[in-house]
Amino acid sequence: MSLITGILEQLINGLRTGSIYALIAIGYTMVYGIAKMINFAHGDIIMVGAYSLYVFTAILELPAAAAVILTVAVCAALGIVVERIAYKPLRNAPSLAVLITAIGVSYFLQNTALLIFKATPIPFGSIINISGIRLGNINISGVTLVTFVATAVMMVGLTLFVNKTRAGSAMRAVSEDRGAASLMGINVNKTISMTFAIGSALAAVAGILYICQYQSLQPTLGALPGIKAFVAAVLGGIGNIPGAMLGGLLLGIIESLSRAYISTQLADAIVYGVLVIVLLVRPSGLLGKQKTEKV
Amino acid sequence: MNKTSAGKTPAKYGKIVLNILITLAVYAVMMVVIQGGMLSRQMTSIIIPCCINVMLAVSLCLLVGYLGELTLGHAGFMSIGAYAGALLTNYLDMPPVAELLIGMLAGGIIASVFAVVIGLPVLRLKGDYLAIVTLGFGEIIRSVINSLEFTGGAKGLSGIGTYATYKNFTFVYIFVILTILLIANLVHSRHGRAITAVRDNYIAAEAIGIHVGRFKTMAFVISAFFAGLAGVIYAHNVGILKPANFDYNKSIEILVMVVLGGMGNIKGSIIAAIILTLLPEVLRSAADYRMLLYSIVLIAMMLFNNSRFKLAIVEKRNLKKAAEIQKEGE
């Protein structure tokens, strides 16, 4: 009985981290789908989100709801600004040039945070004050509940947005064929900006949930979830939104189970190992479409 | 030697003589500066890291620049070489130079064995997928080293003889030159042309009978060999190895050197590697702002490299070259 409870608890832990990974991975995947670039600075948007939440609640003492909305707005705006300044001039450049620029942006955000907030970790109390619930023998904390609900709402909302609205179909059209989309009268620049804004807003939500869980702020806090989420996006098939969700959740569960039952130190190796195996069997991820190349 | 190099023009010989002169001049200047004690401690401590980064950048240049495959796991091969070499020299009891030579050979070979094992399955992937899988392998190598007993785990492997300091500059310099020479010659050989053909259009390359998989693996293995060599020098320069020093940030650091140097340009990689290693030291007076400045320089250079201004310069140069070729033909 206790073994099953243990496994269930680990599954819930895994789903919690997995939800955060999924939220970040969606941002990676959307940006990749539309701009064909790996946005290495995406992880640092999480960090910016966490720090802005800290500034709004602990320093400016705003109510939690207002702080959350402002944080999301700050990150969405940052996403648009970064795209305009650093990525837009490189739209026709080789993809490696864009990749390096994204790495530069990532360093820039990290070091700006380092200058403003210094390297010492800042303790941060969670803004989520909901008591947990008990299901049989399993405790589910308030943060976990909020994470599940927030992620589910975001995913459903995003799926509806992408599939049902005009803006959403514009996004899909641009990611399929940018040139043809612009001939159909779609404003490509606006659509790309919107994608970056949505991706960054999701990263902000992920940052808020992450910081409520780990309760300590550091300029490099976005790097690790960022890279894990990137792996999740590739695992699910990069460019594919349901794939990113699936990849994120799977990655969280695998990580949590191997940390608990195999080895804490080898958990990362196992996560990457799964990625390698999946890619060797399905070279474009779990839900990615196979493309045949023509001469 | 291939057939085309038989008919070398005087201009080509001039270039070779010039390269030899530059190599000797750099060596002479460095020896004078080191022996004369003209450098501060900070500067002497950065000489060997410069050499290591040049080796890493040139070896990665073969993969990213000439084979055209983006890999983010170079630090993994460097760490394999470093650990293999250091464990061996810790075990051996011989004169330092002999130990170092054996360690380097072992480090390079073990790194290339790993490259074969990893490369055979992985090189079927392309583009961003290959990048993420090599990143994954780099991280797997790091966490396995982290969890093993005999590598010292997270505490690190210490007690490595510091044989490769600036006092042994000559030794390291020889290996840097050997690395550059071998890779440059490979690139300009028949095999090198096959590698660039794979980069430019692998379907066409396959159609004219180039074994794409074999050349990809070959480039991968050679690149890993030199990364392993650089790793062994690194181990004997710092004296202590920690898995945390070989994470994907290190791989990205090397990649940045290659890209800033202009992909597929060995000279550029060398210069970029030296500048990017010196830059943080030079900016040390700016203390807190140096990494910020570094990131701004990085973004600005990438934007400039792809700006209309730069493209216009390149076009002008190409037109001039075309005109010259036309004149020669007449």
Side-chain angles (χ1 to χ4, degrees):
Chain A
M1 189 61 203
S2 67
L3 180 71
I4 296 171
T5 328
I7 291 178
L8 279 176
E9 258 171 16
Q10 291 307 327
L11 271 179
I12 288 172
N13 277 343
L15 274 178
R16 186 191 59 221
T17 30
S19 308
I20 296 175
Y21 290 157
L23 284 178
I24 312 167
I26 291 170
Y28 268 115
T29 245
M30 280 169 61
V31 166
Y32 186 90
I34 215 152
K36 298 284 173 284
M37 63 166 285
I38 302 171
N39 184 9
F40 250 96
H42 195 64
D44 297 288
I45 304 276
I46 307 162
M47 178 272 297
V48 174
Y51 273 105
S52 359
L53 185 71
Y54 165 75
V55 169
F56 290 135
T57 53
I59 297 177
L60 300 177
E61 292 178 349
L62 294 176
V68 168
I69 293 171
L70 280 174
T71 303
V72 172
V74 164
C75 286
L78 181 69
I80 296 176
V81 170
V82 165
E83 196 271 331
R84 276 288 151 85
I85 296 177
Y87 304 150
K88 198 177 162 203
L90 297 174
R91 215 166 268 171
N92 296 317
S95 64
L96 250 179
V98 194
L99 182 76
I100 301 290
T101 315
I103 291 167
V105 172
S106 160
Y107 285 167
F108 178 79
L109 293 177
Q110 272 181 31
N111 286 291
T112 315
L114 187 68
L115 273 182
I116 302 173
F117 298 102
K118 306 295 170 231
T120 21
I122 305 172
F124 179 75
S126 169
I127 55 160
I128 298 168
N129 299 317
I130 301 166
S131 55
I133 53 165
R134 230 181 131 72
L135 285 177
N137 289 328
I138 305 157
N139 281 319
I140 304 176
S141 70
V143 180
T144 311
L145 280 179
V146 173
T147 306
F148 286 161
V149 173
T151 310
V153 169
M154 292 278 161
M155 285 183 180
V156 172
L158 186 74
T159 312
L160 288 177
F161 174 78
V162 171
N163 291 321
K164 301 281 181 210
T165 62
R166 270 179 83 84
S169 47
M171 246 161 73
R172 279 182 292 142
V174 174
S175 87
E176 209 158 280
D177 188 330
R178 195 188 291 164
S182 86
L183 287 178
M184 296 299 117
I186 292 169
N187 187 336
V188 172
N189 283 333
K190 220 165 126 191
T191 312
I192 292 183
S193 288
M194 187 181 68
T195 312
F196 270 85
I198 295 174
S200 305
L202 289 174
V205 175
I208 293 170
L209 296 170
Y210 187 80
I211 206 62
C212 287
Q213 180 67 37
Y214 293 98
Q215 314 204 337
S216 161
L217 288 156
Q218 246 175 304
T220 51
L221 76 90
L224 199 65
I227 204 85
K228 289 272 173 63
F230 178 40
V231 170
V234 178
L235 189 69
I238 197 155
N240 181 312
I241 294 177
M245 299 175 185
L246 178 71
L249 294 178
L250 268 182
L251 198 77
I253 292 171
I254 294 168
E255 192 185 46
S256 150
L257 287 180
S258 47
R259 191 155 282 170
Y261 294 105
I262 303 176
S263 153
T264 322
Q265 280 167 324
L266 284 179
D268 278 359
I270 293 168
V271 165
Y272 290 110
V274 169
L275 171 82
V276 170
I277 293 167
V278 167
L279 284 189
L280 290 182
V281 181
R282 287 189 62 89
S284 34
L286 287 173
L287 301 184
K289 282 195 193 96
Q290 298 272 16
K291 272 187 199 150
T292 37
E293 265 180 79
K294 283 178 273 186
V295 183
Chain B
M1 278 291 129
N2 51 65
K3 273 180 196 166
T4 49
S5 66
K8 269 182 185 154
T9 56
K12 262 189 184 161
Y13 279 119
K15 224 176 181 179
I16 291 170
V17 171
L18 186 70
N19 282 341
I20 293 173
L21 281 180
I22 291 175
T23 313
L24 290 176
V26 169
Y27 179 68
V29 169
M30 289 310 294
M31 283 320 274
V32 168
V33 171
I34 291 170
Q35 301 293 348
M38 279 181 237
L39 291 174
S40 63
R41 259 190 75 206
Q42 268 171 17
M43 291 315 273
T44 51
S45 70
I46 203 125
I47 294 173
I48 303 298
C50 259
C51 296
I52 296 169
N53 281 339
V54 167
M55 287 173 78
L56 289 169
V58 170
S59 61
L60 188 66
C61 184
L62 175 67
L63 273 189
V64 178
Y66 291 97
L67 184 66
E69 295 288 8
L70 174 59
T71 68
L72 291 173
H74 217 51
F77 294 119
M78 182 190 170
S79 67
I80 289 175
Y83 273 94
L87 285 169
L88 192 66
T89 55
N90 274 1
Y91 177 75
L92 290 175
D93 189 21
M94 280 196 273
V97 173
E99 270 192 21
L100 199 52
L101 275 176
I102 296 174
M104 283 175 79
L105 194 66
I109 290 173
I110 292 176
S112 21
V113 169
F114 271 85
V116 175
V117 175
I118 294 172
L120 278 179
V122 156
L123 285 169
R124 294 190 308 146
L125 299 169
K126 278 188 283 287
D128 298 321
Y129 287 97
L130 180 69
I132 186 71
V133 168
T134 47
L135 185 149
F137 265 112
E139 293 294 294
I140 291 175
I141 291 168
R142 189 177 60 86
S143 33
V144 168
I145 290 177
N146 208 355
S147 65
L148 287 177
E149 283 283 317
F150 66 92
T151 56
K155 270 187 293 177
L157 183 67
S158 53
I160 308 162
T162 46
Y163 307 139
T165 55
Y166 70 97
K167 287 171 194 141
N168 272 340
F169 177 72
T170 314
F171 181 85
V172 179
Y173 191 68
I174 290 171
F175 273 94
V176 173
I177 298 300
L178 273 180
T179 308
I180 298 170
L181 262 184
L182 284 171
I183 298 221
N185 271 337
L186 170 75
V187 163
H188 294 118
S189 72
R190 187 186 167 89
H191 288 71
R193 283 195 298 277
I195 288 173
T196 35
V198 171
R199 171 194 69 188
D200 291 339
N201 190 333
Y202 79 98
I203 298 174
E206 202 154 40
I208 58 165
I210 291 171
H211 200 308
V212 171
R214 188 182 300 159
F215 280 103
K216 274 189 180 178
T217 318
M218 192 183 88
F220 200 63
V221 168
I222 292 173
S223 172
F225 178 82
F226 287 108
L229 283 192
V232 181
I233 296 181
Y234 172 80
H236 294 89
N237 180 46
V238 293
I240 176 162
L241 289 175
K242 282 189 175 164
N245 294 342
F246 299 104
D247 62 351
Y248 65 90
N249 280 318
K250 180 70 194 169
S251 303
I252 287 175
E253 201 187 307
I254 310 166
L255 179 70
V256 167
M257 292 168 187
V258 174
V259 176
L260 271 188
M263 300 211 295
N265 187 332
I266 291 176
K267 251 181 237 159
S269 297
I270 298 169
I271 295 169
I274 294 172
I275 291 178
L276 287 185
T277 323
L278 289 179
L279 198 62
E281 288 304 310
V282 176
L283 291 177
R284 194 168 278 275
S285 53
D288 294 345
Y289 294 93
R290 66 187 178 135
M291 280 310 285
L292 195 66
L293 284 173
Y294 176 82
S295 66
I296 293 173
V297 168
L298 199 62
I299 299 172
M301 278 179 85
M302 290 327 288
L303 290 181
F304 170 75
N305 261 346
N306 293 286
S307 64
R308 228 176 266 159
F309 181 66
K310 168 83 187 281
L311 290 180
I313 297 176
V314 172
E315 198 175 309
K316 217 173 171 185
R317 203 166 56 194
N318 287 348
L319 281 177
K320 215 172 138 193
K321 245 188 206 164
E324 268 170 26
I325 290 170
Q326 207 170 24
K327 225 186 242 169
E328 265 175 36
E330 276 166 8

